[in-house]
Amino acid sequence: MDSFWSKLLILGIVAAIGVFFIHNVYTPQRSAQEAMAVSTQQSVNAVKAGVDETLSIVSGSQVENIANNNFAGASPKKITITKANGATYTFTDLTSTATDSAGKETGAQTLNAAVDNSKNYKQSTSLETIFFAEQ
């Protein structure tokens, strides 16, 4: 009878040590994995927010509204308009002198003169510039 109780006691002690060991190994790994998952998700969200490359089709009048709202903001972006004929105009405000794709000034062309209200434009946005490509 003594050997039965001693074996049962040894089995209980070994089982308790095994449970204690597994708990002490598993819990820190689980916490570390959860922390890595949270950190990864935050990184993904930051990249998505920073490089929000959205494409949409807008009308010419919407281009003017977007530009007006952009230039009225605290930190305006450049506006780049690419015409169907290949000419590219970059504006830093509504009345600035436009430059063509070669970097040459094209005169005192306003943004409203560069936008054709009867056309649609493909809009994309980067960190520093709002792009409109005439369709």
Side-chain angles (χ1 to χ4, degrees):
M1 195 72 163
D2 284 332
S3 69
F4 172 76
W5 291 111
S6 64
K7 289 180 182 177
L8 188 61
L9 181 63
I10 291 172
L11 177 65
I13 291 171
V14 169
I17 290 171
V19 168
F20 181 74
F21 177 76
I22 290 172
H23 177 71
N24 283 342
V25 169
Y26 175 73
T27 301
Q29 286 181 351
R30 186 173 127 206
S31 300
Q33 287 175 347
E34 289 172 356
M36 287 183 348
V38 168
S39 175
T40 301
Q41 188 60 46
Q42 288 174 345
S43 298
V44 167
N45 290 341
V47 169
K48 281 183 181 178
V51 187
D52 186 16
E53 198 61 41
T54 58
L55 292 174
S56 59
I57 303 294
V58 296
S59 68
S61 61
Q62 288 175 312
V63 170
E64 294 174 9
N65 289 338
I66 292 168
N68 286 329
N69 292 337
N70 173 66
F71 291 138
S75 57
K77 297 181 179 188
K78 291 189 294 186
I79 302 283
T80 299
I81 298 173
T82 303
K83 303 290 275 180
N85 64 6
T88 301
Y89 302 98
T90 303
F91 296 91
T92 55
D93 60 45
L94 292 173
T95 59
S96 68
T97 302
T99 56
D100 63 12
S101 56
K104 186 173 61 169
E105 289 188 4
T106 59
Q109 183 169 2
T110 64
L111 182 105
N112 294 341
V115 174
D116 184 355
N117 284 340
S118 66
K119 303 272 182 159
N120 288 328
Y121 293 83
K122 187 185 329 180
Q123 176 189 358
S124 63
T125 305
S126 72
L127 292 174
E128 299 173 352
T129 308
I130 301 172
F131 300 96
F132 294 101
E134 189 176 88
Q135 299 294 297

